[in-house]
Amino acid sequence: MQDPPAINSVLAEVGPRLNKVRTHRKMTLTQLAATTGISKSTLSRLETGQRKPSLELLLPIAQAFQVPLEELVGAPEVGDPRIRLRPRSRKGRIVVPLTSQANARHAWKVLIPPEPGEPEMRTHEGDEWLYVLSGRLRLILGGREITINAGEVAEFDTRIPHWFGPADDQPAEILSLLSGHGERMHVRATATSTAKKD
């Protein structure tokens, strides 16, 4: 079975890369052969593309050059895994997205200031997990009201009418994880018909 074109393209670049690294280090084929135990003719054929590179050949060469194996094969660099946090304001709340991938699970850090007026109940698909970082959080879930303190967690089905915000005149800071596929609820309540759809 033949290698896919993308692999063939990568392999074709290995020879010139080996030659470039060896030349940069001012090492002859004879010296490299003595260091790696690979014959001079095999090394020459590797550099000219007449010999297909293999792990068995590349590992000792990488050790001789003291470079990572991926540098010899031209593996793509791993991108910066850090997420660039861009706070945004949403209905007076400061929301910081903690995930960037478009998948079924989303995480946020949310700072909720005291909110005047009556809570506006909402429903939507999914399951939500809340962890209170600081302050006290008031959670209304269906016909039930719960106060969650710093360090406590709640998980619930978001199809149940719900609202959460500070339990007193101090802001609450939370971590929120919203998933389309929750495992189970830790907080249960009976749904009512007073919810406003998002």
Side-chain angles (χ1 to χ4, degrees):
M1 188 173 74
Q2 291 189 343
D3 294 324
I7 293 178
N8 285 329
S9 176
V10 170
L11 294 178
E13 294 298 320
V14 172
R17 193 172 286 109
L18 289 174
N19 181 268
K20 183 178 179 180
V21 174
R22 181 178 61 78
T23 304
H24 180 73
R25 281 167 170 69
K26 297 184 168 75
M27 185 181 287
T28 66
L29 283 173
T30 303
Q31 291 170 325
L32 184 58
T35 305
T36 60
I38 301 170
S39 71
K40 182 180 173 182
S41 62
T42 298
L43 291 171
S44 177
R45 284 186 288 133
L46 268 175
E47 289 190 3
T48 57
Q50 297 173 14
R51 174 70 184 263
K52 188 174 181 179
S54 67
L55 197 58
E56 185 181 4
L57 294 173
L58 293 178
L59 275 176
I61 295 173
Q63 289 174 345
F65 289 151
Q66 295 185 336
V67 297
L69 183 62
E70 56 266 24
E71 187 175 319
L72 292 183
V73 297
E77 292 183 7
V78 176
D80 188 341
R82 292 174 296 179
I83 296 169
R84 304 303 176 189
L85 306 179
R86 292 185 178 88
R88 63 186 78 157
S89 179
R90 184 180 295 169
K91 296 184 178 180
R93 301 180 175 196
I94 304 301
V95 180
V96 183
L98 301 178
T99 49
S100 61
Q101 298 298 321
N103 53 34
R105 191 176 295 272
H106 301 278
W108 294 272
K109 182 179 178 182
V110 188
L111 179 63
I112 314 171
E115 298 175 335
E118 288 298 311
E120 189 177 280
M121 305 288 280
R122 297 188 176 274
T123 63
H124 50 86
E125 289 296 319
D127 292 89
E128 189 153 11
W129 175 94
L130 300 176
Y131 176 80
V132 181
L133 293 166
S134 64
R136 299 169 69 237
L137 190 74
R138 177 186 176 202
L139 172 64
I140 302 175
L141 187 61
R144 190 173 177 190
E145 187 170 325
I146 304 156
T147 298
I148 308 169
N149 297 309
E152 293 184 325
V153 177
E155 183 182 3
F156 57 93
D157 186 334
T158 56
R159 292 171 297 183
I160 296 174
H162 62 278
W163 175 91
F164 52 83
D168 48 37
D169 61 355
Q170 297 298 313
E173 190 173 24
I174 66 168
L175 289 178
S176 168
L177 187 64
L178 181 65
S179 172
H181 307 283
E183 295 178 358
R184 70 185 181 97
M185 288 168 45
H186 297 299
V187 181
R188 297 181 184 274
T190 304
T192 66
S193 59
T194 59
K196 178 180 176 180
K197 287 282 187 180
D198 284 337

